[in-house]
Amino acid sequence: VYRFQVLTALMLSSQTKDAVVGETMRILQGHGLTVENIHQTDHEVLNGLIRKVGFHNNKTKYIKESAEIIMSNYNGDIPPNADELMKLPGVGPKMAYIVENIAFDTASGIGVDTHMHRMFNDLKWVTSKTPEQTREQLEGWLPRDKWASINYIWVGFGQEVQQQKEKMLKKCVASSSPREALALVKKLGLDVKKEAKRFGLEDDVKSVM
C-alpha cells in the first residue's frame, strides 16, 4: 500500500504545488488509496477526487491504467525498479528514479526535474539542454552514494531560493561560510543586494562580504 501511495503522489505532483498534492493525497487516502480500490473506482469518481491537481484528466487516466497493469502484471505491487516503472503510463525517468529511491531504497539513477536542470546549468555543473541530459551528465561525475540525496537537497534548496528569499538570506549570513553561500544563491538568480534592502538585511549582508 505504501509503495503504491508513493507512486500515486509522484504522479499527482507534476505541474502541481506541494500543498495541493498533500491535500489530494489525504482525500484519496480517505477514499481508500490501495491498488485494488483505485482499480475498482469509477473513472469519473477518481477524476473528481483529484480535480485540484494540474492536468487531472490525464493523471486520472494514467493512475487507472497503472492500477490495471500493477494488478495484472505485478501481483498488486508496483514495479520493482526504475526501468520497469518507466513502462507505466505517465512515468518518466525523473519520477521513476525518485519512486525507486523512496519505495525500494535503491538508486539506479538521479531524478532530475526542470528546476534542478536550470540550477545545475546556472552553476555550470552541467552544460545541457534537457533534464534528461542533465541527469546523464550528473551521473557521469557524481559519486553513486550521493545519487539518492541530491534530489531532496536541491529541490528544497531551489524552492527556498525562489520562494523564501528572506529566510534564505538569513541562512546564508548565519552559515559557516556566508560569503560563499551568498555567492551561490546569487549564481542561482537571487538578487542579494535588492532582496537584502527589501528585508532590511543590508547591514547583515555587508558585514560578511
Side-chain angles (χ1 to χ4, degrees), residues 15-209:
Q15 307 294 312
T16 305
K17 287 189 165 65
D18 291 347
V20 176
V21 174
E23 183 188 344
T24 305
M25 282 296 290
R26 285 188 288 276
I27 290 168
L28 285 173
Q29 285 164 340
H31 170 73
L33 187 47
T34 64
V35 183
E36 296 81 8
N37 198 36
I38 294 300
H39 182 250
Q40 287 165 10
T41 299
D42 182 73
H43 182 98
E44 292 307 317
V45 172
L46 181 60
N47 200 25
L49 292 169
I50 71 164
R51 68 185 182 280
K52 289 186 179 177
V53 303
F55 303 102
H56 58 87
N57 292 326
N58 286 342
K59 289 174 183 177
T60 296
K61 181 167 161 275
Y62 295 152
I63 290 168
K64 285 287 290 174
E65 287 175 2
S66 293
E68 172 71 40
I69 293 165
I70 289 165
M71 292 282 287
S72 303
N73 300 352
Y74 296 97
N75 293 321
D77 198 355
I78 70 170
N81 56 57
D83 286 342
E84 293 289 314
L85 283 160
M86 281 184 248
K87 293 177 184 175
L88 297 177
V91 177
K94 177 201 85 170
M95 202 181 293
Y97 291 125
I98 295 172
V99 171
E100 177 188 61
N101 182 226
I102 297 170
F104 298 105
D105 198 25
T106 57
S108 64
I110 299 170
V112 174
D113 67 5
T114 52
H115 304 294
M116 289 170 68
H117 166 62
R118 179 182 52 76
M119 285 191 290
F120 295 151
N121 273 280
D122 287 345
L123 293 171
K124 305 285 191 284
W125 285 13
V126 297
T127 309
S128 61
K129 289 191 163 59
T130 66
E132 187 58 11
Q133 287 176 0
T134 295
R135 177 186 71 79
E136 289 168 0
Q137 289 182 29
L138 272 178
E139 289 175 5
W141 62 264
L142 188 73
R144 201 177 180 105
D145 64 348
K146 302 285 190 290
W147 287 12
S149 58
I150 191 168
N151 182 277
Y152 305 120
I153 292 167
W154 282 92
V155 168
F157 180 67
Q159 284 175 341
E160 282 196 12
V161 170
Q162 293 293 314
Q163 299 165 18
Q164 298 176 309
K165 292 171 182 174
E166 182 182 13
K167 184 180 174 184
M168 181 51 70
L169 282 175
K170 285 179 175 174
K171 275 189 178 178
C172 290
V173 170
S175 72
S176 57
S177 305
R179 187 180 292 186
E180 289 82 356
L182 289 166
L184 175 64
V185 295
K186 202 172 177 182
K187 279 184 183 173
L188 295 174
L190 196 151
D191 189 329
V192 171
K193 231 179 210 176
K194 179 183 156 193
E195 299 301 339
K197 188 175 183 182
R198 181 178 161 208
F199 296 115
L201 297 168
E202 285 174 294
D203 290 342
D204 296 319
V205 168
K206 273 179 192 164
S207 71
V208 299
M209 291 302 273

